[in-house]
Amino acid sequence: MSRRAVTLACASCLLLVLAVVGALLPVPYVALYPGPTANTLGDNGKGVPLVQIDGRQTYPADGHLNFTTVTYRGGPEARIDLFTALRGWLSADTAIVPEETIFPKHESQQQVDAENTRQMQDSQENAEAAALHELGIAVPTRVVVNSVQPNMPASGKIQPNDEITSVNGVQTGTVDKVKAETGRIGVGGKAEIGLLRAGKPVRVTLTTAKGQDGKPVVGVVLAEAYRFPFKINISVGDIGGPSAGLMFSLSIVDKLTPGSLTGGKFVAGTGTISPEGQVGPIGGIQQKMIAARRAGATVFLTPKDNCAEALSARPSGLRLVRADTLHGAVQSLNALTSGKGDVPACSK
């Protein structure tokens, strides 16, 4: 064999080795795939209703109201290789997105997972509140202590998860009410705080301090929660994120009202939900539609801000129904079931 042939053969082998090594190099991207979908009118796979209501009359519901999910591969601690990324770019089922889209800088995978879990919990509470508001059932709020600031009047006297019920004898059901009553006291004044701690009433007296804005404070970070009139339990296992809120709300409405929202149809969907019933956009709409259609869905409830993207990737046989609010989604399902009324479609 000539020297030139040997050189070409060696160069070809070297290029092949470099190509293989390069394809296996980790890259800062995440692959998104269609994830599991579950019927909120059914059970969680262990015989337990996915949405269970106790203490209130419920009604049988048929059909499907499926929430949809996205699974991912990659992340700072387990990056995908270049070959996987290239294959994903060529696949209609997969989205390849920059790593920071899913994992913000300076956050570990464990922190992201914890945040997703918190978002799912908040989504469930918002879904319950929205559904009861839609049905005209009163849902009073309560004020809960998220955290206590160090070296402030409340330190050592008020604890996280305490519920503030009154300030100087005035009942408080909102954060604004607590702030208003504290403001009346003035800096250096006495504040008698009524609390519920683990269900037991507690009273503490504090001297207010001067906050950064010059207003009187006691040094607590507050949040509003709800006091539901009956128990609603949502069981979804280790699925995280806020995007199932709309479907949870619809399931609760369906179970608490006679008849069937779906009319036996296979409806799936996605969207965050606010306590007032506003539907918000989500990520991964393409993968969620694919998962829904594969499961058998023929109708997909789509947040209005996701409509343009959804239209460009809609699977064949899947009807997109625009969902702006919970009330609107209920009306759309009633129109689909009865064949009467307008059903808003997605538009670009």
Side-chain angles (χ1 to χ4, degrees):
M1 183 179 294
S2 68
R3 177 180 294 182
R4 183 176 181 182
V6 171
T7 301
L8 287 174
C10 291
S12 298
C13 290
L14 181 59
L15 284 174
L16 179 61
V17 169
L18 290 174
V20 171
V21 171
L24 297 178
L25 287 175
V27 291
Y29 289 90
V30 174
L32 304 180
Y33 306 99
T37 175
N39 185 12
T40 60
L41 300 176
D43 63 47
N44 64 358
K46 299 179 181 179
V48 178
L50 197 147
V51 176
Q52 186 168 0
I53 301 172
D54 295 318
R56 186 87 173 191
Q57 182 177 0
T58 59
Y59 301 88
D62 60 3
H64 285 71
L65 285 171
N66 280 44
F67 74 84
T68 51
T69 66
V70 172
T71 60
Y72 71 86
R73 181 179 173 189
E77 299 176 10
R79 283 179 167 166
I80 60 174
D81 55 47
L82 180 59
F83 178 75
T84 300
L86 292 172
R87 186 172 55 184
W89 273 313
L90 297 174
S91 171
D93 295 357
T94 307
I96 303 298
V97 299
E99 190 175 81
E100 59 267 23
T101 304
I102 310 297
F103 299 93
K105 290 183 178 180
H106 311 302
E107 288 190 21
S108 68
Q109 189 159 328
Q110 289 75 19
Q111 288 174 314
V112 171
D113 290 343
E115 175 63 13
N116 284 337
T117 298
R118 185 195 65 78
Q119 289 180 344
M120 172 59 83
Q121 293 170 346
D122 290 347
S123 174
Q124 292 174 4
E125 186 165 281
N126 288 348
E128 295 171 23
L132 298 195
H133 287 155
E134 171 68 17
L135 297 173
I137 300 172
V139 185
T141 58
R142 58 194 181 95
V143 180
V144 178
V145 177
N146 265 356
S147 61
V148 180
Q149 298 170 338
N151 304 316
M152 293 293 283
S155 181
K157 294 186 176 181
I158 294 180
Q159 301 175 8
N161 298 319
D162 281 352
E163 178 184 340
I164 295 182
T165 58
S166 66
V167 177
N168 284 355
V170 178
Q171 299 300 305
T172 54
T174 66
V175 171
D176 287 344
K177 188 71 172 176
V178 173
K179 289 181 178 178
E181 294 305 318
T182 305
R184 296 182 202 279
I185 298 168
V187 177
K190 296 294 183 181
E192 185 179 76
I193 311 293
L195 306 170
L196 279 179
R197 180 174 296 161
K200 297 181 179 179
V202 176
R203 288 192 178 276
V204 297
T205 301
L206 308 174
T207 301
T208 61
K210 186 177 182 179
Q212 292 182 348
D213 57 2
K215 296 180 180 179
V217 297
V218 296
V220 291
V221 178
L222 303 176
E224 287 182 13
Y226 296 96
R227 196 185 306 279
F228 294 107
F230 48 88
K231 187 175 181 180
I232 302 174
N233 186 56
I234 300 175
S235 303
V236 294
D238 59 358
I239 294 174
S243 65
L246 171 62
M247 305 312 292
F248 291 149
S249 288
L250 288 170
S251 176
I252 295 168
V253 170
D254 202 357
K255 287 173 177 276
L256 290 175
T257 53
S260 170
L261 270 182
T262 68
K265 292 181 172 62
F266 196 133
V267 178
T270 188
T272 65
I273 197 77
S274 74
E276 297 75 31
Q278 294 292 321
V279 177
I282 51 80
I285 188 73
Q286 178 180 352
Q287 286 68 43
K288 290 177 180 179
M289 290 190 300
I290 292 171
R293 189 69 186 107
R294 286 177 179 172
T298 56
V299 176
F300 193 84
L301 298 172
T302 311
K304 63 179 180 179
D305 290 340
N306 289 118
C307 273
E309 182 184 359
L311 282 169
S312 66
R314 178 179 64 88
S316 176
L318 192 64
R319 179 178 181 178
L320 302 184
V321 175
R322 194 184 77 236
D324 301 351
T325 65
L326 172 60
H327 183 69
V330 170
Q331 288 183 316
S332 294
L333 292 178
N334 286 332
L336 284 171
T337 299
S338 66
K340 300 176 182 179
D342 294 331
V343 180
C346 271
S347 59
K348 292 185 178 180

